[in-house]
Amino acid sequence: MDIIRKCISCGNLKKRRELIKITKIKDSGNVVIEPNSKTFGRSVYLCYNQSCIDNAFKKNRINKALKTGTNINKSELEDLLNRDLKGTTDGQFKS
C-alpha cells in the first residue's frame, strides 16, 4: 500500500514518491530537498510541475508550512530539483 500525501500548492493527493519532499531537519533547522529521504523533521510536499512551485512561492506556503523564519529561494529550489532529477524518467521537473 502506497503512502498518500497532499501537494501544498494545488491540494492534489498523490503517492509520496510522485511528489517533491522538502524537509526542515529537526535538530539543525536546515531545509533540505530530498524526494526519497527518510529525514526526520517537518516536511511539505509539492508536485513536480512549474505551476505548483510558482504558486507555493507566490503565496509563501512552503515557509508557512515548515514554520521557518528564513525564506527558501525559488531559484535554489529549481537548481536543486534540476540537479537531483537529472537522469530520472518518472517525475521529471517541467519548466
Side-chain angles (χ1 to χ4, degrees):
M1 183 170 183
D2 290 320
I3 297 171
I4 303 296
R5 294 291 183 247
K6 184 177 183 178
C7 173
I8 62 164
S9 182
C10 66
N12 288 337
L13 297 174
K14 295 186 177 186
K15 294 176 185 174
R16 183 172 59 181
R17 68 176 181 262
E18 296 173 0
L19 296 167
I20 303 163
K21 181 179 181 183
I22 303 171
T23 304
K24 178 182 170 187
I25 300 174
K26 181 181 179 184
D27 296 333
S28 66
N30 293 334
V31 176
V32 294
I33 301 164
E34 300 180 277
N36 299 319
S37 76
K38 301 263 184 198
T39 305
F40 186 71
R42 181 174 287 275
S43 298
V44 297
Y45 295 85
L46 277 173
C47 293
Y48 280 102
N49 65 56
Q50 191 66 48
S51 62
C52 282
I53 292 170
D54 290 341
N55 193 30
F57 278 98
K58 186 176 6 174
K59 297 184 178 182
N60 201 26
R61 290 183 175 179
I62 297 172
N63 291 324
K64 288 177 185 174
L66 293 178
K67 298 182 180 177
T68 179
T70 60
N71 287 332
I72 299 169
N73 187 329
K74 181 179 173 186
S75 63
E76 289 176 13
L77 174 66
E78 290 174 341
D79 290 344
L80 287 169
L81 289 173
N82 286 325
R83 186 193 69 213
D84 291 345
L85 297 176
K86 197 172 272 189
T88 63
T89 55
D90 60 342
Q92 286 288 331
F93 179 68
K94 301 175 184 112
S95 49

